[in-house]
Amino acid sequence: MQGAFSIMQVIDAYKRAIAKFQPVWRELELLDKDTWVLSPLSGLLSTPARRIALENLCSLQVSLSVDFPRDIPGYQFLGPESAISGYREKFSKGINLWDPSASVLDNLQRLLGTKFPSKQDAAEDNFRLECKICMEQELEGFLPTKVCDKCKAAFHESCLAEWLQSFVQDSCAGGAASFLAGEAGGRVLFGDCPNGEHKISLVVRK
């Protein structure tokens, strides 16, 4: 009798867990159905994060709250700064208009003033940002978030910092890379882009 009671407790706990995740799963399924999700590729419901295509070389990484899935998600715009700055500005200006009664997808499209493209709208290569240093898309769970405004090459911040730092260590002042004045809690590392004969900078956080 005690064993049967314990089994029922396990079943009840399982049902409660399923019920808890249903709201966030519905939001994720909407994103998977009506946008081009670049990552994860398999539409996993076990992770509440999605990387959504916006336009060529630009995407939006969102992380939904399991407890409050329709609240403002964690977000990060990925792509060339010249292209994503407009999206970031629109999001910041409209964030107070976020409506928890509407879906995450509806809120995102309304705040950004755009309809997210489907997978049929553009070539996959236009959104597949691989780091030009390590040649991987993900590194320890991180995507390439630094995109060169000149050549549009993408880099993991850690890879680019290591690349530029190597020139600082191997050269005297005036060499291929150098630290500039501090900015927003960090320092700006400046030097040659690994993908061409032009300069690139990176804010190295403390």
Side-chain angles (χ1 to χ4, degrees):
M1 189 69 179
Q2 181 63 34
F5 179 72
S6 297
I7 291 174
M8 292 304 298
Q9 285 182 317
V10 171
I11 293 174
D12 287 342
Y14 176 77
K15 289 180 177 179
R16 288 195 298 271
I18 292 295
K20 176 182 178 180
F21 285 100
Q22 286 294 339
V24 71
W25 286 346
R26 282 195 291 269
E27 296 299 316
L28 293 172
E29 286 170 347
L30 276 176
L31 293 174
D32 292 339
K33 174 178 175 289
D34 295 332
T35 72
W36 182 359
V37 175
L38 302 173
S39 177
L41 297 177
S42 58
L44 292 174
L45 295 179
S46 58
T47 173
R50 293 292 186 269
R51 180 176 165 225
I52 304 166
L54 292 175
E55 60 177 333
N56 288 359
L57 295 176
C58 295
S59 59
L60 171 62
Q61 179 88 9
V62 293
S63 298
L64 279 59
S65 166
V66 172
D67 295 320
F68 304 100
R70 287 196 165 187
D71 280 4
I72 301 169
Y75 67 94
Q76 182 178 18
F77 291 97
L78 306 173
E81 181 60 30
S82 58
I84 65 174
S85 58
Y87 285 116
R88 191 186 297 116
E89 183 178 357
K90 286 181 181 179
F91 196 95
S92 298
K93 285 184 177 180
I95 200 167
N96 291 332
L97 301 177
W98 187 275
D99 181 7
S101 67
S103 70
V104 170
L105 176 59
D106 286 344
N107 273 296
L108 290 174
Q109 293 188 140
R110 179 168 52 82
L111 263 61
L112 296 177
T114 186
K115 180 175 174 58
F116 294 143
S118 67
K119 194 169 184 177
Q120 290 72 37
D121 290 334
E124 185 172 359
D125 287 345
N126 289 338
F127 296 97
R128 186 172 178 81
L129 294 182
E130 291 183 344
C131 176
K132 291 298 183 180
I133 296 176
C134 71
M135 304 307 295
E136 297 290 341
Q137 185 173 18
E138 289 193 25
L139 179 66
E140 297 179 350
F142 292 96
L143 295 168
T145 57
K146 177 63 178 180
V147 178
C148 179
D149 282 329
K150 293 286 187 180
C151 65
K152 311 305 181 186
F155 308 97
H156 295 111
E157 291 192 7
S158 59
C159 291
L160 184 58
E162 185 176 350
W163 167 274
L164 294 174
Q165 181 66 38
S166 67
F167 290 107
V168 172
Q169 294 171 344
D170 295 341
S171 62
C172 300
S178 61
F179 278 111
L180 302 181
E183 175 183 300
R187 293 181 296 173
V188 180
L189 189 58
F190 178 81
D192 294 335
C193 175
N195 196 52
E197 297 181 358
H198 49 267
K199 300 299 182 182
I200 189 171
S201 63
L202 176 70
V203 177
V204 180
R205 305 296 177 184
K206 294 181 179 178

